Amino acid sequence: MNDQKIERAYKQAREKFKEMGSDTEKALEQLKKVSLSIHCWQGDDVAGFERPDTELKGGGLQVTGNYPGQARTIGELRQDLEKVYSLLPGNHRLNLHAIYGEFKGKSIDRDQIEPHHFKGWIDWAKDQGVELDFNCTCFSHPLADSGYTLSSKDEDIRCFWVEHVDRCRQIGAFMGREGKSPCVHNIWVPDGSKDMPMDRKGHRDLLRKSLDEIFSTEYPAEELKDSLESKLFGIGSESYVVGSHEFYMGYALSNQKMICLDTGHFHPTENIGDKISAVLQFSDELLLHVSRGVRWDSDHIVVLDDGIRSLFEEVVRGEYLNQVHLALDFFDASLNRVGAWIIGARAVLKAILAALLEPRERLLQAENEGDYFTRLALLEELKAMPLGAVWDYFCSVMEVHAGPDWMKEILRYDRNVTRKRG
Ligand code: RNT
Ligand code: ZN
């Protein structure tokens, strides 16, 4: 797109928004500071690099599709990520999982991983100006096959996973120290059961015990921030999830940890946006896993739909952008994977921009005066406002492709790079 055209359209849009009561310049200043934690696992279908032939197994997670071009090595994944960062306006983080270490052909089990296995990522990240977040990987492993990890009644299995998470927090703190930015370490475990269990309490007692053991090691907040991710149900854990929302809410609040809300982990009719100002009454920060569930926690690519818009309206209306850590969590192997990343990440940034462009004062005034007609009518009018012109201008000042031009880059990358991977 041509810069002059972008600027002309932006100036008109700026005027229109101004008449409505919104300040586009201020919105763009705020948007510039937003950093998304880009999930490494979209690039290789959550396979990781423990062995050359690894794939996602169990845990109720599923990647469907076999579009060519999955990253098969760390080098390929980094190449793809560099493409992703080059097409996103702003500075964004990288979210790694423990299975993405550099194990150099050695068989290093999860209870053996060490910070040096991630040194390559840390160096690469420094070079790219990217900061790191981290996740323990408590799935795709024979000791997760029983359906229980941190809440297993088999003491050897439970201790194995405690050791793994312990090491992951140590690695996360190392990342935070090296990158001079606190690393968010998120714990999600697949624990649960397909059918009705007898002993819901027993496994929850054990999960709590494991977490207590894990968090007995403390790290400075400048290095590491811990979060806990709940879930409603998964494939194979339809009847019971040990780490339910109530469980982790209780644990996080009584132990000063962050709760992670994954937008795919609730009942499909629940409004995740509504949870933000409820949780943040009692906690200083929270982590969002932005995903799109279709009928279940299917991890579809995020698009600018009503759920995402209302989620970010709540983040922005509550002035919570500094308290909410934003991470992406979707995986789709049915189309170009780099393109998938961009669609999802750009959708989140657009949703935030849309929320920042609400004429908040005017809407609040209408609400406070009981003028619900004005409130609803304004919100409807906003939907047809030229958000795209402001977005294009933002992309162009941030020196990334504006409008649909980035699509050509993906098509070229698909042809010249990912499809050639065989
Ligand atoms: C699973 C959780 C979890 C994973 C990633 C790979 O339901 O959402 O966050 O998707 O850790
Ligand atoms: Zn998640």
Side-chain angles (χ1 to χ4, degrees), residues 54 74 76 136 182 329 364:
T54 43
I74 291 189
E76 287 180 353
C136 49
D329 187 11
L364 267 177

Side-chain angles (χ1 to χ4, degrees), residues 33-102:
K33 295 185 207 130
V34 169
S35 186
L36 307 179
S37 194
I38 306 292
H39 56 318
C40 73
W41 52 92
Q42 161 57 34
D44 75 329
D45 311 339
V46 210
F49 301 116
E50 282 178 319
R51 287 176 306 282
D53 56 346
T54 43
E55 57 177 7
L56 173 65
K57 205 178 130 275
L61 313 182
Q62 210 165 31
V63 181
T64 50
N66 55 359
Y67 196 84
Q70 171 190 27
R72 296 158 304 178
T73 61
I74 291 189
E76 287 180 353
L77 187 61
R78 285 185 191 149
Q79 182 186 19
D80 292 351
L81 283 164
E82 284 170 26
K83 192 80 210 164
V84 171
Y85 292 117
S86 78
L87 294 171
L88 294 180
N91 292 320
H92 303 289
R93 304 172 67 88
L94 174 65
N95 206 3
L96 286 171
H97 241 284
I99 46 175
Y100 289 79
E102 259 167 299

Side-chain angles (χ1 to χ4, degrees), residues 51-52 83 117 155 185 189 244 292 300 372:
R51 287 176 306 282
K83 192 80 210 164
H117 295 123
E155 191 60 6
H185 178 266
V189 295
S244 60
R292 176 167 55 109
H300 277 66
Y372 301 146

